[in-house]
């Protein structure tokens, strides 16, 4: 999930779906509720420790944080995306394409309303992904809002938090701050992210438990829309602002020749697809 969140167009929520832990993740985040807050205030240590699903959240949080630091300092994934976009996006394209197939295959009792929700998800995704990045301020209140919007997108499969950062022109700005521990930027960003995470998880938990099929078909629509963003062959145009590369637009293209690079990219795409299918077979489609 941490590696996926660094890649524009790929959602950490999508990776949670691929790995079969999405519903459990949403419920775990939602476990930080008013009962937990009351336990903290009244110094009820037993409830404060046992109420949240720390067994899932702690190792998951460590993994996400480790990946964010690794792919911004040890191996700069944002830099790799600029230098080798076809290879990076080919792998994630295969992962998401496989996830769409796996999600659809696990659906039962399908009705026409489900396809209506798929269409709505596809439409929303296409609208979001065709927005053009704009110039935005770097003040504390806007960084707070950026964190809230990015995490809301991150937890929703199909819409990438990194892509939202691109739309807000804060992609390189935020990941540079993560990699260099610039707390004056990270504190308002994390504050907005935490608030958004707690609110969004409650809405998603309600929808998944009450309207599972419609919710999943809506998510499938978002995933389908995201494929247009992470199609590996695109003309991507960057500008450098304060020595940081920022994507300003991209246009879908097709491979110009059958060569070794195309074989490598196709193999990575197939690898991503197969990995998802195998994971879903081993987890029995658990969500």
């Amino acid at each position: 999930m941490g590696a996926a969140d660094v890649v524009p167009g790929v959602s950490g929520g999508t990776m949670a779906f691929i790995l079969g832990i999405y519903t459990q993740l949403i419920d775990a985040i939602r476990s930080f509720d008013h009962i937990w807050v009351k336990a903290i205030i009244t110094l009820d240590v037993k409830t404060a420790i046992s109420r949240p699903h720390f067994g899932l959240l702690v190792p998951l949080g460590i993994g996400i944080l480790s990946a964010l630091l690794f792919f911004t300092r040890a191996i700069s994934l944002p830099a790799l995306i600029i230098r080798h976009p076809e290879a990076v996006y080919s792998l994630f394209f295969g992962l998401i394409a496989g996830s769409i197939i796996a999600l659809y295959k696990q659906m039962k009792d399908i009705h026409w309303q489900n396809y209506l929700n798929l269409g709505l998800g596809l439409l929303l995704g296409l609208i979001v992904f065709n927005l053009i990045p704009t110039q935005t301020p770097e003040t504390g209140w806007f960084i707070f809002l950026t964190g809230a919007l990015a995490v809301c997108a991150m937890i929703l499969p199909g819409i990438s938090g990194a892509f939202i950062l691109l739309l807000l022109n804060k992609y390189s700005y935020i990941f540079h701050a993560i990699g260099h521990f610039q707390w004056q930027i990270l504190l308002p960003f994390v504050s907005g992210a935490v608030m958004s995470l707690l609110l969004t998880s409650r809405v998603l938990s309600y929808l998944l438990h009450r309207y599972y099929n419609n919710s999943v078909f809506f998510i499938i629509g978002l995933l389908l829309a995201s494929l247009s963003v992470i199609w590996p062959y695109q003309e991507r145009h960057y500008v450098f602002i304060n020595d940081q590369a920022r994507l300003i637009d991209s246009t879908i293209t097709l491979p110009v020749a059958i060569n070794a690079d195309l074989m490598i990219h196709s193999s990575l795409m197939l690898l991503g697809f197969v990995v998802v299918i195998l994971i879903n077979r081993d987890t029995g489609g658990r969500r």
Side-chain angles (χ1 to χ4, degrees):
M1 285 180 65
D5 286 327
V6 180
V7 180
V10 184
S11 165
T14 300
M15 293 301 108
F17 249 105
I18 289 172
L19 296 169
I21 63 167
Y22 188 75
T23 302
Q24 297 98 303
L25 171 63
I26 296 300
D27 288 342
I29 297 170
R30 189 175 179 272
S31 66
F32 291 94
D33 54 13
H34 67 282
I35 297 175
W36 181 76
V37 173
K38 182 180 178 181
I40 293 291
I41 295 173
T42 59
L43 300 180
D44 182 355
V45 178
K46 182 179 179 181
T47 302
I49 294 176
S50 62
R51 180 73 178 174
H53 303 171
F54 286 122
L56 172 67
L57 292 174
V58 170
L60 184 66
I62 293 172
I64 290 175
L65 181 60
S66 299
L68 286 173
L69 292 175
F70 182 80
F71 286 114
T72 53
R73 291 188 68 86
I75 298 177
S76 177
L77 197 50
L80 280 176
I81 292 170
I82 296 174
R83 295 177 190 141
H84 308 287
E86 292 85 2
V88 175
Y89 281 106
S90 290
L91 178 61
F92 281 101
F93 188 95
L95 287 170
I96 294 179
S99 185
I100 292 170
I101 300 300
L103 278 174
Y104 185 80
K105 285 180 65 177
Q106 66 153 307
M107 290 293 97
K108 298 177 181 178
D109 301 321
I110 298 174
H111 302 286
W112 66 269
Q113 296 96 330
N114 300 143
Y115 291 104
L116 193 61
N117 280 273
L118 186 151
L120 289 173
L122 178 61
L123 179 62
L124 175 62
L126 290 174
I127 290 173
V128 171
F129 291 134
N130 280 283
L131 294 175
I132 299 173
T134 57
Q135 294 298 323
T136 53
E138 296 180 351
T139 52
W141 71 268
F142 193 81
I143 299 304
F144 179 91
L145 180 62
T146 298
L149 292 174
V151 168
C152 180
M154 180 193 77
I155 200 172
L156 189 63
I159 298 182
S160 160
F163 189 78
I164 296 300
L165 291 180
L166 280 176
L167 293 181
L168 299 175
N169 243 316
K170 291 293 176 282
Y171 177 75
S172 297
Y173 184 74
I174 295 300
F175 280 110
H176 184 269
I178 293 173
H180 294 82
F181 301 103
Q182 296 176 327
W183 297 109
Q184 72 278 13
I185 297 172
L186 293 178
L187 286 177
F189 181 81
V190 170
S191 298
V194 170
M195 183 199 72
S196 176
L197 194 62
L198 295 175
L199 293 176
T200 305
S201 64
R202 278 154 175 74
V203 175
L204 289 174
S205 179
Y206 174 81
L207 292 174
L208 285 168
H209 286 289
R210 293 291 297 273
Y211 307 102
Y212 184 77
N213 267 26
N214 281 331
S215 299
V216 171
F217 269 87
F218 183 81
I219 288 168
I220 290 174
L222 292 175
L223 293 176
L224 285 169
S226 74
L227 290 178
S228 66
V229 178
I230 60 169
W231 172 248
Y233 295 98
Q234 301 197 34
E235 290 184 8
R236 297 178 174 90
H237 303 109
Y238 296 87
V239 295
F240 284 85
I241 301 175
N242 297 327
D243 296 324
Q244 297 176 11
R246 302 190 181 189
L247 181 72
I248 55 172
D249 64 71
S250 61
T251 305
I252 293 177
T253 62
L254 294 174
V256 295
I258 299 176
N259 51 31
D261 286 341
L262 178 61
M263 295 298 103
I264 292 173
H265 303 153
S266 300
S267 298
L268 287 169
M269 197 179 295
L270 180 61
L271 174 64
F273 185 90
V274 170
V275 164
V276 173
I277 299 303
L278 291 177
I279 288 175
N280 275 269
R281 186 180 67 179
D282 289 340
T283 60
R286 184 175 66 252
R287 298 291 163 195

